[in-house]
Amino acid sequence: EVQLVESGGGLVQPGGSLRLSCAASGFIFSIYAMTWVRQAPGRGLEWVSTISDSGSNTNYADSVKGRFTISRDNSKDTLYLQMNSLRAEDMAVYYCTRGTSGMDVWGKGATVTVSS
Amino acid sequence: DVVMTQSPLSLPVTLGQPASISCRSSQSLVYSDGITYLNWFRQRPGQSPRRLIYKASNRDSGVPDRFSGSGSGNDFTLNISRVEAEDVGVYYCMQATRWPRTFGQGTKVEIK
């Protein structure tokens, strides 16, 4: 079964850091670009970042550029999102999704709460 | 950035009746390879999004054939031929032709 499982969410103070992970299974992880999408409470979907299959190319939303870093470990079939200098507006459910144009598989999400 | 504008934002529908959601983009979504990278997703309450339609008109595996996507260029539509109770949720269009990827605001479909 094709599956994506996010982990690493939690409560963090403004200005703090958190690293999300997304474990992939059921498909050949290394041949797919991967994407993070977030959803603030009661709001719509917002694209955050995408990484190419090899990890050599990355793209970021302006709202997170310079603060978030997307990476991957193809030997571990795992995607990451390092989030630094977190702000209240970063509070959201973060979804891991397969692909850059397709986004055909989604995880259940990891909740990030930013509060003092 | 490409702005995706959906209408309506709220859609009360009667069971068994058709429903239609419009999605308009501020720029053409035809990529240099000739493909239009426009997806439709549905998000049921408390669940992750699920892709229904890709490349504007291709239905995903397991998606009932009452769902169809159409359109080209800047103007797209998601049609549900006969709404069923399980179709409630928020529907989003998303363009993947240009960076940054952008979503529509979402259309909430509910049963009257």
Side-chain angles (χ1 to χ4, degrees):
Chain A
E1 179 193 3
V2 175
Q3 198 171 9
L4 297 171
V5 179
E6 301 92 338
S7 60
L11 172 64
V12 61
Q13 291 186 338
S17 298
L18 211 56
R19 188 177 84 156
L20 302 182
S21 299
C22 171
S25 60
F27 65 99
I28 304 173
F29 180 72
S30 61
I31 67 172
Y32 286 91
M34 296 294 293
T35 294
W36 289 99
V37 173
R38 69 183 180 183
Q39 187 170 36
R43 306 294 296 273
L45 301 172
E46 179 189 14
W47 171 79
V48 173
S49 182
T50 295
I51 188 167
S52 63
D53 53 359
S54 66
S56 59
N57 291 305
T58 58
N59 292 85
Y60 297 93
D62 284 346
S63 58
V64 306
K65 200 173 293 183
R67 300 187 299 121
F68 289 14
T69 302
I70 191 171
S71 63
R72 64 192 296 160
D73 186 336
N74 286 345
S75 69
K76 296 182 179 178
D77 292 347
T78 302
L79 174 72
Y80 302 100
L81 186 67
Q82 177 67 43
M83 303 183 293
N84 298 331
S85 303
L86 281 161
R87 306 166 179 167
E89 55 264 36
D90 295 318
M91 186 161 65
V93 175
Y94 284 74
Y95 295 102
C96 163
T97 177
R98 185 174 76 172
T100 173
S101 58
M103 298 185 198
D104 61 338
V105 180
W106 293 64
K108 295 189 185 304
T111 300
V112 173
T113 302
V114 183
S115 175
S116 54
Chain B
D1 297 1
V2 178
V3 177
M4 305 297 288
T5 303
Q6 289 183 229
S7 63
L9 299 185
S10 178
L11 184 56
V13 295
T14 301
L15 289 174
Q17 292 301 302
S20 183
I21 301 171
S22 170
C23 175
R24 289 191 167 91
S25 59
S26 60
Q27 301 175 45
S28 172
L29 298 186
V30 181
Y31 189 55
S32 55
D33 61 5
I35 297 173
T36 298
Y37 293 97
L38 185 283
N39 298 325
W40 287 97
F41 300 91
R42 176 187 63 207
Q43 186 176 33
R44 290 175 171 150
Q47 295 188 12
S48 306
R50 176 193 178 183
R51 195 181 72 179
L52 304 175
I53 302 289
Y54 62 98
K55 296 179 187 176
S57 60
N58 296 273
R59 196 167 43 247
D60 268 282
S61 174
V63 175
D65 61 8
R66 64 178 182 274
F67 288 90
S68 64
S70 63
S72 61
N74 299 54
D75 199 354
F76 304 91
T77 303
L78 177 70
N79 287 299
I80 309 174
S81 59
R82 295 172 306 280
V83 172
E84 297 189 6
E86 65 180 18
D87 299 338
V88 299
V90 180
Y91 290 74
Y92 296 93
C93 60
M94 187 213 81
Q95 68 81 21
T97 296
R98 304 176 191 276
W99 299 101
R101 306 314 195 206
T102 47
F103 289 87
Q105 317 97 301
T107 295
K108 186 174 185 178
V109 172
E110 56 187 9
I111 305 301
K112 281 183 185 175

